[in-house]
Each structure stands twice: as structure tokens, then as C-alpha cells.
Amino acid sequence: MPATTPATETAVLAALAPEGGRPGGATDVGDTATRVMLAAADAFAENGFPATTTRDIASRAGLSPAGVYVHFSSKENLLFEISRRGHARARDLLVAAATDAASPTEALRAIIGGFSRWHAEHHQLGRIVQFEFRHLSTEHQSEVIELRKEIDRVVADVLRDGVEAGELDVEDVPTTALALLSMAIDVARWYVPGGRRTPQMVERTYGDLAVRLAGGRA
């Protein structure tokens, strides 16, 4: 029987954070490593990183515990790979939104609104990458921090462009960028699927709020 071709990075990202959110379940994914990551993401989101065992992840992925170690050296390594990809996915979303916008104001509305919607649609993944960060090794934390800095720079650059264009009024760009991103990230903490606030409503409300907080016209 021929060996399974490993999934491309694009395919892995699409499986972890597909457009519109992921309904859950890891057993219908062909690539084994991706299936393990999906199983781990579900387990981490449900039980938290410390309480999740390798046996639990293996069971959700339809493997033996030894089968997990074929693809990942440790539970911490699994958390890192999920966190790294989650941050990369979010960064790419912000870069695309900023690039496609017609003005700094619209760029700010798009990136904060879209980032907020992403944390609603992918609230489980968002909770993992944002709130399980402390369980990463020092080396892995450093790599994820660099991705976070890239995300910060996208927002800060848009704010500076808005100030230079006379569209926004921001005195402290780094602190304002941090506040806006923190607001969007917090959506993952409180969002409940099927509740009164849909991801679309979150996107619209948070996008307009970001513009007002930055001194623009919503």
C-alpha cells in the first residue's frame, strides 16, 4: 500500500481554520498528522492543555498513543504546531484585509472586524493559541511571539497611515494597536455558537468600534 502524501501547509491551515469555522471532528481527514492536530485542538479546547493526555488525543484521532509520537515528539510540540499555524492564519487574514482596503479607515475596519469574526468562527482554536500560550517551551514561545509582533505591526502600520492621511486621530499607536487587538482576541473567550451575536454581527460591530476608538468616522 503506498504511503500517504503529507498534506501541504495550505491544506493543514484549511483543515484547522477553514473559512466560516470548523464544526469539529477529526476522523474524516485523510492526512494522519493533520488528523492528530485536529484531535488535539478539540481536546485542548475542551479540557485545557494540562488535563489533556496523549491517550485522549490518540483516541479522538483513531490511533494508538504510539501513533501520535510518529508525527509529534510531545504534547507540547502538538500545542506549538497548532499555535504557530493559528497565528500564521490570523496574520495572513489581517495582511490580506489591509492590502485590499481602499483607505486606512476601511483597512482598520476590515482588519479588526475580520480578526474579531475569525475569533468567533474559530473560538476553540482562538482560545488555544491565545490562552494556552504559557504552556509552550521558551523556544516555542519565542517563535510564536515573533508571529504576534507581525500581527501587531499590521495594525500599527494601518493606524500610522490613517494618522498621516488625516483620517484617524491616535497619539499612542503601539498602545492603541494592542488595545484593538486585545478587544478582538477576547471574542474567543466569550463567544458561544448559536447565541444572539453572530460572527457577522461581531465583525460589523467591532469594525465600527475600532474606527471610532481610533478617532475616525464609523
Side-chain angles (χ1 to χ4, degrees):
M1 187 174 182
T4 302
T5 301
T8 64
E9 186 72 359
T10 300
V12 173
L13 287 171
L16 279 173
E19 186 175 348
R22 187 171 70 86
T27 57
D28 59 344
V29 177
D31 178 67
T32 304
T34 304
R35 193 163 76 246
V36 172
M37 278 189 281
L38 292 174
D42 290 339
F44 294 155
E46 183 177 328
N47 304 318
F49 177 81
T52 296
T53 65
T54 303
R55 185 173 297 277
D56 181 24
I57 295 170
S59 176
R60 291 170 184 258
L63 299 171
S64 68
V68 173
Y69 292 115
V70 170
H71 301 279
F72 301 95
S73 60
S74 66
K75 188 177 70 168
E76 188 274 338
N77 183 247
L78 253 173
L79 176 63
F80 167 65
E81 291 298 341
I82 294 169
S83 184
R84 179 180 67 80
R85 288 177 168 91
H87 279 86
R89 186 73 158 177
R91 177 204 57 198
D92 293 346
L93 182 151
L94 265 64
V95 170
T99 301
D100 293 342
S103 68
T105 298
E106 290 309 308
L108 182 62
R109 191 193 316 277
I111 62 179
I112 298 302
F115 201 46
S116 302
R117 177 172 177 166
W118 190 91
H119 279 86
E121 293 178 336
H122 303 288
H123 55 280
Q124 288 184 315
L125 181 60
R127 289 170 189 164
I128 294 167
V129 302
Q130 301 297 347
F131 304 124
E132 301 289 351
F133 175 80
R134 65 188 183 279
H135 298 298
L136 292 173
S137 68
T138 301
E139 179 183 357
H140 286 161
Q141 281 188 8
S142 296
E143 189 166 336
V144 171
I145 285 172
E146 286 304 312
L147 287 168
R148 291 190 178 201
K149 289 179 178 178
E150 291 178 21
I151 291 172
D152 290 346
R153 281 195 291 270
V154 175
V155 181
D157 286 347
V158 167
L159 290 174
R160 291 189 184 95
D161 289 344
V163 171
E164 290 179 5
E167 297 180 18
L168 303 176
D169 183 11
V170 178
E171 292 185 3
D172 187 337
V173 167
T175 301
T176 302
L178 176 61
L180 293 173
L181 286 168
S182 297
M183 177 180 74
I185 288 168
D186 194 57
V187 172
R189 179 187 59 80
W190 60 258
Y191 182 78
V192 177
R196 181 169 61 87
R197 296 179 179 87
T198 65
Q200 293 83 357
M201 291 171 62
V202 170
E203 179 179 24
R204 182 171 61 252
T205 300
Y206 276 54
D208 288 344
L209 181 57
V211 172
R212 290 199 296 272
L213 289 174
R217 293 185 177 182

